[in-house]
Amino acid sequence: MGLRVVTEKRVRVPVWLEVLVPVGAVMGALIAGAVLLALLGVSPLAAYAAMLRGSLGDWYGISETLVKAVPLTLAGLAVALSFRMQVWNIGAEGQLYMGALAAAAAVRFAFVDNSLVMFCLMAGAAALAGGTWGAFAGYLKARWNVNEIITTLMLNYIAIHAVDYFVYGPWKDPASLGFPMTASFPAAARLPQFFDSRVHLGIFFAVVFAVLFHIVFRWTKWGFEVRVIGANPKAAQYAGINFLRNAVLVMFVSGAVAGFSGMCEMAGLQGRLQHGFSPGYGYTAIIVAWLARLNPLALMGVAFLLGALLVGGDTLQVVMRLPLSSIQVLQGLILFAVLGAEYFLTYRVRFIRSVPDSPKEVD
Amino acid sequence: MEMLVPILAAAVRSGTPILYATLGEILTERSGILNLGLEGLMLVGAFTGFSVASGTGNAWLGIAAAFLSGCLLALVHAFLCITGRANQVVSGLALTMFGTGLSSLLGRGFIGETILGIGGMTIPLLSEIPVLGPTFFDQDPLVYLSYGLAVFLTWFLWSTRAGLALRAVGDAPRVVDAMGLSSTRLRYLYTVIGGGIVAVGGAYMSVVYTKMWGDLMTAGRGWIAVALVIFAIWHPLRAVGGAYLFGGVGALQLRIQAAGTSIPAPLLLMLPYVFTIFVLFVISVRKGKGILLGAPASLGQPYHREERD
């Protein structure tokens, strides 16, 4: 008697499995990370304990986690929208930078001493700039089939250098002692912070947008069209769904949300535009979106977890002198593990006992 | 003309890491597997190459180690995408994140260190040809190796049985399986070897070109190589021209900067990325809507021999 492994495609995915797979994947990644830490001569238990204490151990840690969850949720939604349509927007990072750049331009050239008016101006500028950045790649993709993965990625580099051009050059604060940043914004161009912490107004919009995206995906015709194109572009074409219009629109909305998140990050936290203000939120957002299986509501929870990971990473840097890149390694491992674990969502693996004296099957 | 020679020679040198990466990715994509992890592979290759060369004092050992490190990382991608049938785009991104983080984590101790690396090697006679000689034949051994690799791959793809099988598995894995060859095995093989070649491109940067290790030193060259594969329509010889074109843009940008221009550095640094989009745009328009000549038909699609397409 021997054991035979049989894999078969699942017809339906049980709910418990849909939860178990990402949780198990994160666990697996943490274990792999622990091995790596041990190889580096760092005690993995001490490192993970420090991360947990730093991120969720007290109110300060939790509030910092929330602060990081805001851009991760918003940029994650941006990524999830385009991924649903199988348009691979890897450019959330660049759209985020463009949004912040445009909002900073609004503060510089169209300042109004009224918080509400200024917020609308900054949000509008950021959404328009991020949206244009995304729609450009979307149009090239839809009209001439220019690979959007590459264009959005190249646009990231261009956007980061564009911000650098301004903060090292014409917009640099003369009083900044050489640091590449603009002057501090006036109070009206900042987002209010709550709870005696750095948690800012952006958190409200992160939740609102997540719910809004959920409604759009679930109950609107447009959300349905996007899903159909993603699931089967040919069928979508036969159904008369316009690919060009949808691709441009999806990439515009995606870029606009990412741009908005860049504005929130800048106006809610630093209160000025500065070099490298995002530690790769646009890339981490890809993990957030994928881990949440592109579900907007689940995305908020995942963003919180990855926010905790980032805050924990800051703690690691201070306490154990491990660089931020160790968190990047962990992020890569998580994504690997999730991709590997997803196999069990599509396929069912069974062990079958093969009985020697059973009648042979006739083909 | 004489003034041009240093720029042309610099274009070849700074195009070489991109050329290795592009050739490796052509091999991988020809088998139907899309690997977007080039940036991570190159960085890990650059780190491995440098650290081994610095530790052993033997630069060639560094190059060999870089090749192996690339193979190993690409094996992860191969396992997830071929056996696990995972999304190849996302797996490639994971590879980039992991490789970028790992190289910068492990490379901390090597910043500021320099090595002897691999020096130049002038080829007699050939190097005396005006313009072409100093451009192409007054370089280092790895540059010559890359010429050989491009020619070899072209011959391999279109003149050998194994090359035919490789092209077939990228177009129609089902047919390859029906022929009695294992499409799974072929895809594993070429994804792994391709990853190794990409990593050598990274190692060229640290061991030969700069002779030092720098955090994130590839600066997007891996992604430019992904674009170049399309530019080259999956043909190794066209990749040579493309890589030197991009190498030329990079070399030119450095020269303008060194000459002390009034153009701000960030604007110059944008140049290669703007150029990449522009080139990609021109090819895509020329090829017409939706037609990707030369693209392996089943590129990026998970395949299972027991399921219907």
Side-chain angles (χ1 to χ4, degrees):
Chain A
M1 282 215 318
L3 275 179
R4 207 153 52 94
V5 185
V6 175
T7 58
E8 50 197 37
K9 211 160 188 162
R10 280 184 192 280
V11 181
R12 179 173 292 158
V13 183
V15 179
W16 61 267
L17 197 67
E18 236 176 312
V19 177
L20 183 74
V21 159
V23 171
V26 172
M27 288 298 174
L30 288 177
I31 293 169
V35 173
L36 197 72
L37 285 171
L39 287 176
L40 285 171
V42 177
S43 154
L45 271 181
Y48 286 155
M51 282 175 72
L52 198 63
R53 256 199 319 277
S55 58
L56 303 171
D58 52 15
W59 166 240
Y60 175 75
I62 294 173
S63 74
E64 281 302 296
T65 297
L66 284 171
V67 166
K68 297 221 192 286
V70 170
L72 289 181
T73 304
L74 289 168
L77 288 170
V79 169
L81 172 65
S82 76
F83 278 22
R84 281 224 169 195
M85 203 174 131
Q86 304 267 349
V87 172
W88 305 99
N89 178 13
I90 315 297
E93 184 77 356
Q95 291 143 14
L96 200 140
Y97 270 88
M98 287 318 277
L101 181 63
V107 176
R108 196 175 174 91
F109 299 116
F111 181 70
V112 181
D113 200 10
N114 175 310
S115 299
L116 185 68
V117 176
M118 206 51 231
F119 176 79
C120 294
L121 273 177
M122 285 195 297
L128 196 67
T132 310
W133 216 239
F136 174 64
Y139 185 73
L140 291 184
K141 158 82 180 172
R143 179 71 180 76
W144 290 291
N145 206 13
V146 182
N147 188 313
E148 78 281 13
I149 300 173
I150 299 166
T151 43
T152 50
L153 218 118
M154 292 294 123
L155 287 169
N156 285 349
Y157 286 104
I158 296 171
I160 292 170
H161 286 310
V163 168
D164 277 354
Y165 166 71
F166 286 103
V167 297
Y168 278 101
W171 293 1
K172 187 168 160 185
D173 178 14
S176 72
L177 301 170
F179 286 107
M181 48 166 94
T182 66
S184 229
F185 294 162
R190 286 166 180 244
L191 305 189
Q193 296 181 332
F194 316 110
F195 316 124
D196 209 17
S197 70
R198 300 204 305 153
V199 178
H200 55 80
L201 189 66
I203 196 170
F204 168 74
F205 287 97
V207 175
V208 168
F209 276 121
V211 173
L212 205 67
F213 270 56
H214 179 70
I215 294 170
V216 168
F217 282 159
R218 195 95 188 242
W219 285 296
T220 68
K221 181 168 163 260
W222 183 55
F224 180 70
E225 284 187 0
V226 167
R227 252 179 26 218
V228 172
I229 296 176
N232 191 338
K234 277 232 173 77
Q237 202 185 349
Y238 291 134
I241 298 173
N242 186 331
F243 182 77
L244 183 99
R245 201 186 63 112
N246 274 304
V248 175
L249 194 61
V250 157
M251 284 300 284
F252 182 84
V253 175
S254 180
V257 175
F260 179 77
S261 82
M263 184 280 286
C264 289
E265 188 68 9
M266 177 185 67
L269 291 180
Q270 296 104 3
R272 55 166 30 129
L273 182 64
Q274 57 189 42
H275 162 78
F277 70 94
S278 159
Y281 287 130
Y283 296 113
T284 307
I286 297 169
I287 308 179
V288 172
W290 200 258
L291 210 55
R293 303 182 57 75
L294 311 183
N295 177 326
L297 297 183
L299 213 142
M300 283 188 285
V302 177
F304 183 79
L305 281 181
L306 272 138
L309 189 73
L310 291 182
V311 175
D314 289 342
T315 317
L316 271 191
Q317 220 175 348
V318 178
V319 179
M320 320 213 60
R321 296 179 181 278
L322 276 173
L324 220 54
S325 50
S326 39
I327 292 304
Q328 213 178 357
V329 173
L330 213 50
Q331 288 185 1
L333 285 174
I334 291 177
L335 203 48
F336 274 143
V338 172
L339 284 167
E342 273 176 355
Y343 183 81
F344 299 100
L345 288 179
T346 334
Y347 298 95
R348 198 170 145 190
V349 181
R350 287 199 301 167
F351 297 95
I352 295 178
R353 207 168 266 137
S354 52
V355 185
D357 57 352
S358 64
K360 283 248 154 55
E361 269 181 60
V362 182
D363 287 306
Chain B
M1 211 56 195
E2 279 307 305
M3 265 177 53
L4 261 177
V5 169
I7 296 183
L8 290 178
V12 169
R13 226 168 303 127
S14 81
T16 298
I18 309 180
L19 178 57
Y20 275 107
T22 310
L23 290 176
E25 181 69 3
I26 286 178
L27 198 62
T28 302
E29 289 195 14
R30 276 280 175 189
S31 80
I33 297 294
L34 177 71
N35 185 352
L36 293 181
L38 300 201
E39 188 75 7
L41 285 168
M42 282 183 87
L43 280 166
V44 167
F47 162 73
T48 312
F50 185 85
S51 60
V52 170
S54 145
T56 63
N58 185 338
W60 285 101
L61 219 55
I63 301 287
F67 179 81
L68 286 181
S69 74
C71 290
L72 215 63
L73 261 189
L75 184 64
V76 177
H77 183 70
F79 174 73
L80 287 174
C81 297
I82 301 168
T83 304
R85 270 160 252 143
N87 185 304
Q88 298 181 12
V89 173
V90 182
S91 172
L93 291 171
L95 196 59
T96 290
M97 284 179 204
F98 180 75
T100 309
L102 191 70
S103 65
S104 118
L105 178 65
L106 300 177
R108 275 178 307 160
F110 291 94
I111 289 174
E113 205 178 301
T114 51
I115 51 169
L116 278 175
I118 294 173
M121 186 175 98
T122 310
I123 295 190
L125 292 177
L126 283 177
S127 62
E128 277 151 40
I129 306 169
V131 184
L132 290 181
T135 304
F136 292 105
F137 301 106
D138 188 10
Q139 301 279 7
D140 54 78
L142 272 166
V143 170
Y144 307 136
L145 194 66
S146 70
Y147 304 155
L149 187 62
V151 173
F152 169 77
L153 286 180
T154 308
W155 171 78
F156 176 76
L157 276 166
W158 283 281
S159 307
T160 67
R161 265 189 95 80
L164 179 66
L166 166 57
R167 284 183 294 135
V169 78
D171 280 330
R174 202 164 292 285
V175 173
V176 172
D177 271 336
M179 276 162 58
L181 293 164
S182 163
S183 66
T184 306
R185 197 174 302 163
L186 287 173
R187 286 186 160 179
Y188 260 99
L189 180 69
Y190 292 115
T191 306
V192 167
I193 296 180
I197 297 175
V198 173
V200 169
Y204 180 85
M205 290 205 66
S206 62
V207 177
V208 187
Y209 192 54
T210 63
K211 298 183 175 58
M212 51 186 239
W213 160 254
D215 211 9
L216 308 177
M217 67 187 300
T218 53
R221 283 180 182 77
W223 291 105
I224 290 177
V226 175
L228 265 183
V229 173
I230 302 172
F231 171 82
I233 46 176
W234 291 265
H235 194 301
L237 286 185
R238 278 190 61 133
V240 178
Y244 297 156
L245 191 64
F246 277 87
V249 173
L252 206 64
Q253 165 223 317
L254 277 178
R255 245 149 236 272
I256 298 174
Q257 238 173 319
T261 146
S262 57
I263 307 169
L267 296 187
L268 281 175
L269 287 171
M270 278 182 200
L271 221 65
Y273 311 114
V274 175
F275 188 61
T276 306
I277 296 182
F278 175 74
V279 166
L280 207 56
F281 169 73
V282 170
I283 315 168
S284 304
V285 170
R286 258 205 356 220
K287 263 189 261 174
K289 201 175 165 191
I291 304 163
L292 276 175
L293 280 172
S298 67
L299 180 63
Q301 286 157 9
Y303 163 72
H304 189 334
R305 57 185 294 177
E306 287 171 22
E307 276 168 22
R308 287 200 289 171
D309 292 315

